[in-house]
Amino acid sequence: MQQQEINHALKNPFQPILKKVLKVDEELERLSSETFYNPFDVLYLGMEATDEDIKKMFNSFSKLLHPDKCQDPRAKDCWQIVDQAYKTLMEPEKRKVYIRIMREAREKTEFERLRENKRREKTGVAPLPPDTFESDFQKQCKNLFSEIEDRKQHLMRLEQSQKRYKLDEYERRKMLEQYKILTEEEWEKTRDDRVNKWREFNNKKTAIGTKQSNKGIRPPTENIEARPYEMPTKKGDFKNIKLD
């Protein structure tokens, strides 16, 4: 019963084009209100759609939503979503990536439904209806694509953070280099003045401490032993005492 359910349910995901009658108002509302991570969902296509199937659905949307034919203000943005989905699916390598993710979603759906049916069988509950496989499969697809998008956004934020750090580091080094250059230039500008002052100092004939210079303390003119020493005997009275 379980294998029969899977075989029956797999028919729909593998159909190249889901039978859908496009209506302008419905598509404008759908494309403008939902977030699409899977281009197959935008064009109502299954994972086994061929180039001819993709072009056929794109032409159907073109007749319906192209801004030259649809005057609704939402038509331009909706058409860009359709056009981007078409271009993505027409690139074989990109299409393979989305197909691989959808196949993983299908395998996870099969596994989870099989496990749930075993649990139901043990408890005496009826198995999951086969016609619910498609909705479970689409839900699993959205979950996988949403997780991938979250990781992608996280990596982009990390990359931007690293770029900002590198840019800040570059600006810091640039500023230091400019400061170094300016410092060297200022130092070079004052070189002649510093050299002239040094020459003047070396050529100066007056010695520190002489009468010609006021830049130092002059030495005593006589020996300390020959100078008189005065000691006060009482307040207001001084007596000259000579030391032999």
Side-chain angles (χ1 to χ4, degrees), residues 103-118:
R103 285 176 176 169
E104 181 181 346
R106 185 199 67 198
E107 291 172 359
K108 291 186 69 173
T109 304
E110 292 174 3
F111 174 78
E112 291 181 0
R113 287 177 66 89
L114 183 61
R115 183 174 59 182
E116 174 62 18
N117 283 337
K118 286 182 179 181

Side-chain angles (χ1 to χ4, degrees), residues 3-223:
Q3 188 60 42
Q4 182 180 1
E5 173 198 350
I6 294 173
N7 292 338
H8 174 76
L10 284 178
K11 292 180 181 179
N12 196 24
F14 277 95
Q15 286 181 355
I17 300 179
L18 302 179
K19 294 181 179 180
K20 176 71 176 177
V21 178
L22 301 180
K23 296 181 180 179
V24 177
D25 294 337
E26 290 182 2
E27 293 308 312
L28 288 172
E29 180 64 25
R30 180 180 74 99
L31 294 172
S32 61
S33 61
E34 297 182 23
T35 300
F36 295 92
Y37 300 130
N38 185 1
F40 284 99
D41 291 342
V42 175
L43 300 178
Y44 293 110
L45 295 173
M47 69 179 78
E48 296 299 318
T50 63
D51 288 351
E52 183 179 352
D53 298 327
I54 297 171
K55 291 177 182 178
K56 183 177 179 181
M57 287 303 297
F58 177 73
N59 290 333
S60 298
F61 274 98
S62 178
K63 296 176 182 177
L64 199 71
L65 300 178
H66 195 282
D68 292 341
K69 299 177 181 179
C70 181
Q71 302 303 317
D72 192 286
R74 299 170 293 175
K76 184 177 180 180
D77 292 336
C78 293
W79 173 250
Q80 289 179 351
I81 296 174
V82 172
D83 186 58
Q84 184 60 44
Y86 169 74
K87 291 178 180 177
T88 300
L89 293 180
M90 290 304 293
E91 294 187 29
E93 294 302 320
K94 289 185 179 180
R95 194 196 310 180
K96 288 179 182 178
V97 173
Y98 287 97
I99 290 175
R100 184 167 64 247
I101 297 172
M102 293 174 72
R103 285 176 176 169
E104 181 181 346
R106 185 199 67 198
E107 291 172 359
K108 291 186 69 173
T109 304
E110 292 174 3
F111 174 78
E112 291 181 0
R113 287 177 66 89
L114 183 61
R115 183 174 59 182
E116 174 62 18
N117 283 337
K118 286 182 179 181
R119 188 190 67 79
R120 290 187 173 211
E121 185 177 357
K122 290 180 180 180
T123 56
V125 180
L128 294 170
D131 57 0
T132 60
F133 184 92
E134 171 63 17
S135 61
D136 291 344
F137 168 70
Q138 293 296 335
K139 187 183 297 183
Q140 192 67 251
C141 278
K142 289 183 178 180
N143 290 339
L144 281 180
F145 280 110
S146 180
E147 291 175 4
I148 292 172
E149 184 65 21
D150 289 343
R151 290 198 296 268
K152 178 182 176 182
Q153 294 297 328
H154 177 67
L155 291 175
M156 288 177 63
R157 287 193 294 269
L158 287 178
E159 184 178 357
Q160 291 175 355
S161 177
Q162 291 176 354
K163 286 182 178 179
R164 285 196 298 269
Y165 173 78
K166 290 181 179 179
L167 181 61
D168 292 342
E169 183 66 16
Y170 169 77
E171 292 295 336
R172 186 183 70 84
R173 291 182 179 181
K174 184 178 179 181
M175 183 178 65
L176 288 175
E177 186 66 24
Q178 290 176 346
Y179 175 76
K180 181 180 178 182
I181 293 173
L182 290 174
T183 304
E184 291 177 350
E185 288 178 352
E186 292 298 326
W187 180 260
E188 189 64 26
K189 287 179 181 178
T190 60
R191 179 178 179 277
D192 293 340
D193 185 51
R194 286 181 287 105
V195 170
N196 292 334
K197 287 183 179 180
W198 178 252
R199 287 174 178 172
E200 290 177 3
F201 176 79
N202 285 337
N203 295 332
K204 200 169 185 181
K205 295 181 179 180
T206 56
I208 294 177
T210 62
K211 293 181 179 180
Q212 291 82 6
S213 173
N214 293 323
K215 298 182 179 179
I217 300 174
R218 290 178 291 178
T221 56
E222 59 181 346
N223 296 333

